[in-house]
Amino acid sequence: MSFRTTTAIDYVEDVSPGSGALPPRSWYASSDAKSLSLNGTWRFRLSQAADAEDDSFAADGRESGDWAEVAVPGHWVLQGHGSPIYTNHLYPFPVDPPRVPTENPTGDHVRVFDLPADWPDLTDGGAVLRFDGVESCARVWLNGTDVGEFKGSRLPHEFAVGHLLKPAGNVLAVRVHQWSAGSYLEDQDQWWLPGIFRDVTLLHRPAGSALDFFVHASYDHTTGQGTLRVDSDVDGRVTVPDLGIDIATGEAATATVRPWTAETPKLYDGVLATEGERVRLRIGFRTVALEDGLIKVNGRPILFKGVNRHEWHPEKGRALDLATMREDVLLMKRHNVNAVRTSHYPPHPAFLDLCDEYGLWVIDECDLETHGFVEQDWRDNPVDDDRWTPALLDRAARMVERDKNHPSVIVWSLGNEAGTGRGLTAMAEWIRGRDASRLLHYEGDPDCRDTDVYSRMYASHEEVERIGRRLDGGTHKRRGLPFILCEYAHAMGNGPGGLADYQRIFEAHERLQGAFVWEWIDHGIEDDRHGFAYGGDFGEELHDGNFVCDGLVFPDRTPSPGLVEYKKVIEPVAIEGDGPRGTVRVTNKQDFADLSALRFEWAFQVDGETAESGGLSVPVLAAGGSAEVKLPEPPAEVPPGAETAWTVRAVLAEDTAWAGRGHVVAWGRLPVAARAVPSVAATDGPVVADGVITLGPAAFDARTGALRSIGSVPVTGLRLDVWRAPTDNDDGAPWQSDVRHGLLWRKLGLHRMRHRLDAVETGDDALTVRTRVAPAAWELGLSTVYRWTSDGNRLRLTVSVAPEGDWTVPLPRLGVRFGLPGSADAVRWFGGGPGEAYPDSRTASMVGSWRSTVDDLQTPYVRPQENGARADVRWAELGGLRVEGDPVFWFTARRWTTEQLDAARHRTDLVPGETVWVNLDHGQHGVGSQSCGPGPLPRYFLTVAPAEFSFVFSTAG
């Protein structure tokens, strides 16, 4: 018979949430009670096992004098001690709940501090030591006394320590274990980053101070009355001067109020005064209800235009400061985002203050995910094991109690990708018993047994349409509930595509109440070797590569083209109309606010340049209202053959808290007259002499027909091109579909096409080069004919492509590629811009006249891939060459080949060469979001079919 010895570290593998912590309570940022931040530099020692060192270091701190130093908040693996690990859902340790490996990195932290001179007498009340976030398990000592241990990394824990404090020389010691039983509940798709990564604070608790309180601030949309009641564990009074409210805690008062919404985030300043403390309240009156099968706020259905937000900073990981959190909120507001799902844990509490202040709907998600158990068909899943239920209830309570006074929080979420089980039901029952004023969400509850919302991830456009029409089946309860896509449009690499198609479906069916893009930010780690590192760059034995880089903003918070596209797709004002008639229809797509905060501007453009502009008088439309407005008369004189259009913008009329006056909220372009298609009369003929064919301004190799120059501009390697460096979405996810175009393209050999020369023919008025373009090992190909003509000054290329064989996959691209000298830099074009676009991500591409450099045309995705195409280009100028298209074309230019782009794994792998490679594409394949979601819709496939397209070349000047 054998026995397992009980040790001092058994708490690490205990399924309980911990011991010694105070009951959870509401968080508030402002009180007249004293507080002391313990953030800063701490002494640090790392050991490789939970019990490698004894706890003598906690006694007086002297032992730690020669230890290393780390910043708190922070993660020790981002400060030179060990390495981060990225997995999407696989546990990076053997699955044997609740056991964890002996190899368990453990960080001992020590901070010695004095109390400030103005700290109250130690006999006056008590003190609380607060930890807002520690991953994943911590044991705490103060002045040598063990005060407790806890799990629940993204949740607050407080300890009563007033009796242990002394005026000077206080020794706070914290032992943090990377792995614990709690790790099984925290298998979120993110980096595993141990450490004390949120604030550590000492709070004075005067006698008679507020303990916990619950602000109930409802709104009756039929009367305009708000009702306020503040329940408090300690008796006190509540005052709201602007409303004339002065009531005792537990009493209710009504007043005429302006309600809180994400569009109109009105907050009233109040004070909760108890015998020992005054707490500032920020009160938003609003009511959330499930009525008529819809989520309603203040009596109206809402439409989520949301994002999933992990907390991330490229240097500090999840240790975010207030300025970074505010930057996130401001970026969201400036890009028309109105909602956040706090994936997959409650955020730093200050973030919710910002959501209250600036206006964002919030789905607040519990710190719970057990996704790795899917690998064993959810066997032994903690959420269906009663031993773990106390830990689950503790996590639910710590979320709800901390965040219950935020008006922005309108839905509680039980967690994410944790399967199903009795523990989730227990959480739902507890939350409903504690707070009936909000709705409940959990995507993994397909029958909606415990939830108020039918929620899915990555459902296709077709399925969402069926759900909107209530043709999706399911239980009777589910069919009567509203639907949201809690994750969709996977924003990994180049993409997501299909956003506009989704939005049209959302807006067509009342049951569909919006969606949340996955996700907000790329979790790249700033790295000298790679620019930004991702999974596998730190030697992890298990990792999921760059799947951690799937955000709408890059790691440094630069907006990606995906965010610019999303802003346009979800803009709160629709601007449509009839350009030739000179009328514009403006529709207010907001749920609550009128258009009084906006002013409207028009511009009349000729060949992409603004000829005239001015203000446009638009009625102050209520939410949902629309009006047709007459535009002014266009200019009388427009050059013959010019392309003309109106552009109408809705901009902020005045400065707001989140953007300045003139910030563009929405825009629309109304074409008037189409451009004249470029034409070249074939009046010049090819001349052969000394191995060179001359035709107008161009010179060709007489043997191969290859273009060598146009005027004084050298040109190399012009030929048909069908390959693009596959995007993350091209390569796709195996769980989404067997059809992953990037893999099929590579299998077919589209990245290594062979070009066979069949004939070079010189006629009276044309040079014709006949070729066959095909991959090795297959019998299919593309018969390609290049026909060159000239009027003596300009050169026209007509490319004719005829498929041969059985093509079963679409093409990545179809066009021509050629090289220009590396001195080519400045780019001008008339077409879509200013940023990149692809067939299913081009809503934000505005036709106009644009300028850039070759380097600035690139989109710096963390993992390099196809990028930088400009859509609907009429003409482009680069390196002394001008190109006009018939029809319009896609334009790309870069200082490396597509093959080099394809081979690169990090930004730093791309080294500029001595040639600028230009692609003029007749077609591009859509991008979709198949890195986790659906691929491009079939209408965005670049289907193999006969094609003909032309370009006119001339020297720019």
Side-chain angles (χ1 to χ4, degrees), residues 487-509:
E487 294 180 20
Y488 88 126
H490 198 249
M492 186 176 179
N494 187 336
L499 285 169
D501 305 279
Y502 271 117
Q503 196 66 24
R504 282 189 288 270
I505 300 170
F506 299 152
E507 294 177 4
H509 303 287

Side-chain angles (χ1 to χ4, degrees), residues 321-334:
D321 58 18
L322 184 62
T324 301
M325 290 183 270
R326 179 175 282 109
E327 185 178 358
D328 278 345
V329 171
L330 294 178
L331 278 169
M332 290 175 190
K333 294 293 289 186
R334 291 168 185 164

Side-chain angles (χ1 to χ4, degrees), residues 254-577:
T254 60
T256 300
V257 300
R258 291 166 53 195
W260 189 97
T261 75
E263 296 167 5
T264 56
K266 173 61 180 177
L267 293 172
Y268 290 91
D269 288 320
V271 174
L272 166 62
T274 66
E275 177 186 352
E277 185 177 20
R278 290 172 59 84
V279 177
R280 183 191 181 199
L281 304 179
R282 298 280 278 164
I283 302 167
F285 290 87
R286 57 105 184 95
T287 295
V288 183
L290 180 64
E291 294 178 352
D292 306 319
L294 300 172
I295 304 168
K296 292 186 178 181
V297 178
N298 303 336
R300 297 188 187 183
I302 61 173
L303 184 64
F304 291 121
K305 303 170 183 178
V307 295
N308 285 274
R309 175 186 176 269
H310 268 298
E311 294 185 305
W312 188 250
H313 187 282
E315 298 174 57
K316 302 175 183 177
R318 287 187 285 279
L320 267 60
D321 58 18
L322 184 62
T324 301
M325 290 183 270
R326 179 175 282 109
E327 185 178 358
D328 278 345
V329 171
L330 294 178
L331 278 169
M332 290 175 190
K333 294 293 289 186
R334 291 168 185 164
H335 288 86
N336 296 330
V337 171
N338 73 357
V340 176
R341 176 180 175 229
T342 68
S343 54
H344 297 294
Y345 42 83
H348 189 291
F351 179 77
L352 297 179
D353 282 343
L354 296 170
C355 294
D356 293 343
E357 178 183 352
Y358 292 99
L360 289 167
W361 307 118
V362 174
I363 296 180
D364 197 358
E365 192 147 89
C366 194
D367 188 11
L368 173 62
E369 181 167 336
T370 63
H371 198 175
F373 285 91
V374 72
E375 294 296 320
Q376 52 208 53
D377 296 324
W378 298 104
R379 186 175 61 256
D380 298 326
N381 184 10
V383 304
D384 201 28
D385 183 336
D386 292 338
R387 295 177 301 161
W388 295 80
T389 299
L392 303 183
L393 291 174
D394 180 74
R395 288 170 183 251
R398 291 189 182 279
M399 171 183 69
V400 171
E401 300 296 5
R402 191 195 76 168
D403 297 341
K404 59 183 178 285
N405 294 327
H406 290 282
S408 58
V409 177
I410 63 171
V411 178
W412 300 117
S413 179
L414 301 179
N416 183 69
E417 292 177 319
T420 59
R422 300 183 298 276
L424 289 165
T425 299
M427 293 170 69
E429 290 174 349
W430 185 89
I431 293 174
R432 283 200 171 94
R434 177 59 173 148
D435 178 24
S437 70
R438 294 175 171 94
L439 305 184
L440 268 183
H441 166 272
Y442 177 64
E443 183 270 341
D445 182 12
D447 293 334
C448 301
R449 181 182 61 180
D450 298 321
T451 57
D452 299 311
V453 180
Y454 177 32
S455 177
R456 286 286 309 282
M457 296 179 182
Y458 306 109
S460 68
H461 297 80
E462 180 184 12
E463 184 178 0
V464 173
E465 178 80 35
R466 289 199 306 271
I467 293 170
R469 297 180 183 275
R470 301 187 186 275
L471 301 176
D472 55 304
T475 63
H476 176 75
K477 178 184 179 184
R478 192 182 87 180
R479 294 196 305 273
L481 293 180
F483 175 80
I484 64 169
L485 274 171
C486 66
E487 294 180 20
Y488 88 126
H490 198 249
M492 186 176 179
N494 187 336
L499 285 169
D501 305 279
Y502 271 117
Q503 196 66 24
R504 282 189 288 270
I505 300 170
F506 299 152
E507 294 177 4
H509 303 287
E510 190 177 46
R511 184 190 187 192
L512 307 179
Q513 293 201 253
F516 295 78
V517 170
W518 185 267
E519 65 162 305
W520 175 242
I521 189 168
D522 285 343
H523 302 203
I525 295 176
E526 192 166 292
D527 184 272
D528 291 340
R529 301 164 299 161
H530 303 307
F532 292 109
Y534 50 75
D537 288 336
F538 299 97
E540 305 102 302
E541 81 178 340
L542 288 177
H543 67 85
D544 285 287
N546 69 311
F547 200 71
V548 76
C549 295
D550 46 15
L552 290 170
V553 297
F554 296 132
D556 61 2
R557 285 178 164 74
T558 300
S560 76
L563 181 57
V564 177
E565 174 78 356
Y566 194 39
K567 174 186 177 180
K568 174 62 180 169
V569 166
I570 61 174
E571 59 189 9
V573 181
I575 299 172
E576 303 161 314

